[in-house]
Amino acid sequence: MQDEKQKKEELLEMLRAEVATLLCADDVSEEEKLSRIKLAQAIIESEKV
Amino acid sequence: MPTTQVVIEKAKEVGKIALDYVSQAASKLVGSASEKAGDLSLAEMSRRLDGALRVLRGEEVSISGAAAPEQKTSLQITHKMMESYSFDIKTGTSTFTIPANVTDVEAMKALNKYFRKYHPNFKRDAVYARDLDWYENLPTEYPTYCQKRDYSQARQITVTGVVKGEKGENRTTEEGVLNDESPIFSDPRDQALAAAIHACKYTGEDLFKDLWVRGSVPGFALCTGRDDGVFVSLFHVK
């Protein structure tokens, strides 16, 4: 159980890092960043969409 | 106002709004993932996060769902359309692809579902729900104006915003101008889909919101200017 919790936290950390990388990207427009972030959220919440 | 200038100015406005939304959206994404981590199995969470990470990196991603292979979920449909959508700010041209085996109205309904969830601040749909029946019956009611669809194939659609006419003219005069010039109009379904995909993909703002009678009269896609008089805009297929 503890192991699973830790793995989940590692996955979340990867997500945070990827979001931070995207936010800092100079070669991606703000509109495209927003679009990717919303779509990523839709995938995570996919059973509701 | 020069040709397409209005469309370009609108796109710039939308770009500014996007800047403010990005950080808020990023926080929501991380918060949502953290919330889900408590409910989902490790395998399911890993699968979803893998898809999300690939989207964030801008990679091609296939969204799997519970539906049968030949049946696309609304998220899959929306994702494919948004992924394919591009808007050329210089020409005002929108291009997008509707996946195979998806009708126009199915595409509109999928966009509405996405729009309601991710743009809840807007008190409207991406495509007005009350118009869906009208769009569905277009080909039989107005066969001259509507392109014949082959839903078995993915179809790429290009819609270009062109601004014509003069400020201050009334609607009748401007419709007359359009008739005299005999422009080629896009299918009303294409106009509606272009506006809806743009709104879903970006900030929820309707880039084409000033359209006067979008879709309600086949062959006409008119715009009104905002406070600065009236101009006519039409969309035509290149």
Side-chain angles (χ1 to χ4, degrees), chain B:
Chain B
M1 199 65 77
T3 302
T4 71
Q5 190 58 37
V6 173
V7 178
I8 291 167
E9 290 304 320
K10 275 314 292 176
K12 284 180 181 171
E13 278 180 34
V14 171
K16 282 180 195 166
I17 296 167
L19 188 62
D20 300 330
Y21 282 10
V22 172
S23 56
Q24 290 175 27
S27 301
K28 277 186 191 169
L29 166 63
V30 173
S32 176
S34 303
E35 197 176 302
K36 282 282 166 193
D39 302 334
L40 299 174
S41 70
L42 181 59
E44 179 60 16
M45 189 191 161
S46 177
R47 186 186 71 79
R48 292 187 190 193
L49 278 181
D50 182 57
L53 290 174
R54 291 175 63 191
V55 163
L56 292 171
R57 290 173 192 141
E59 296 172 0
E60 185 91 9
V61 59
S62 170
I63 300 172
S64 59
E70 69 277 8
Q71 253 187 332
K72 292 181 175 61
T73 65
S74 62
L75 178 56
Q76 285 173 316
I77 296 168
T78 307
H79 174 240
K80 282 289 173 197
M81 291 189 292
M82 285 168 55
E83 186 183 49
S84 67
Y85 181 86
S86 66
F87 177 72
D88 184 336
I89 196 168
K90 289 180 183 167
T91 62
T93 299
S94 301
T95 305
F96 57 96
T97 301
I98 301 178
N101 301 314
V102 175
T103 68
D104 298 298
V105 171
E106 282 171 344
M108 290 173 188
K109 285 179 179 173
L111 288 163
N112 274 353
K113 207 166 181 179
Y114 185 94
F115 190 85
R116 283 173 203 158
K117 179 161 177 58
Y118 291 98
H119 298 287
N121 296 335
F122 290 90
K123 305 298 179 203
R124 63 176 178 84
D125 290 313
V127 178
Y128 289 115
R130 64 171 182 261
D131 290 340
L132 292 178
D133 283 345
W134 184 82
Y135 285 117
E136 187 131 53
N137 293 320
L138 263 180
T140 47
E141 286 187 36
Y142 304 101
T144 313
Y145 295 103
C146 296
Q147 297 167 336
K148 192 174 180 187
R149 304 293 211 203
D150 176 6
Y151 290 128
S152 67
Q153 304 292 324
R155 51 201 188 279
Q156 190 181 58
I157 290 167
T158 301
V159 173
T160 303
V162 179
V163 179
K164 288 187 178 180
E166 295 178 51
K167 289 180 184 178
E169 297 291 354
N170 63 32
R171 175 172 163 168
T172 307
T173 305
E174 291 182 337
E175 284 184 354
V177 171
L178 289 177
N179 279 330
D180 292 344
E181 295 185 1
S182 303
I184 305 167
F185 296 95
S186 68
D187 188 306
R189 295 167 295 182
D190 294 348
Q191 299 168 34
L193 283 165
I197 296 169
H198 193 98
C200 282
K201 180 160 183 170
Y202 299 122
T203 60
E205 293 286 341
D206 185 353
L207 179 62
F208 312 111
K209 71 179 175 186
D210 294 326
L211 284 176
W212 194 350
V213 285
R214 177 170 63 211
S216 62
V217 179
F220 284 90
L222 308 182
C223 283
T224 58
R226 285 156 298 180
D227 303 325
D228 53 351
V230 180
F231 62 88
V232 179
S233 176
L234 56 100
F235 289 82
H236 71 127
V237 177
K238 269 192 159 179

Side-chain angles (χ1 to χ4, degrees), chain A residues 22 28-37, chain B residues 58 201-202:
Chain A
L22 177 63
V28 181
S29 70
E30 298 304 318
E31 292 92 334
E32 182 61 27
K33 288 176 189 176
L34 182 64
S35 173
R36 288 187 197 175
I37 287 169
Chain B
K201 180 160 183 170
Y202 299 122

Side-chain angles (χ1 to χ4, degrees), chain A:
Chain A
M1 192 65 182
Q2 193 60 31
D3 193 37
E4 184 172 311
K5 195 175 174 186
Q6 189 180 338
K7 280 182 181 166
K8 284 183 177 178
E9 192 47 50
E10 284 171 9
L11 285 170
L12 285 171
E13 197 49 49
M14 284 172 65
L15 178 72
R16 291 188 195 106
E18 200 61 50
V19 168
T21 303
L22 177 63
L23 290 177
C24 296
D26 293 331
D27 57 343
V28 181
S29 70
E30 298 304 318
E31 292 92 334
E32 182 61 27
K33 288 176 189 176
L34 182 64
S35 173
R36 288 187 197 175
I37 287 169
K38 285 194 301 186
L39 201 50
Q41 189 179 348
I43 290 171
I44 286 168
E45 301 174 346
S46 52
E47 82 281 10
K48 291 181 185 172
V49 177

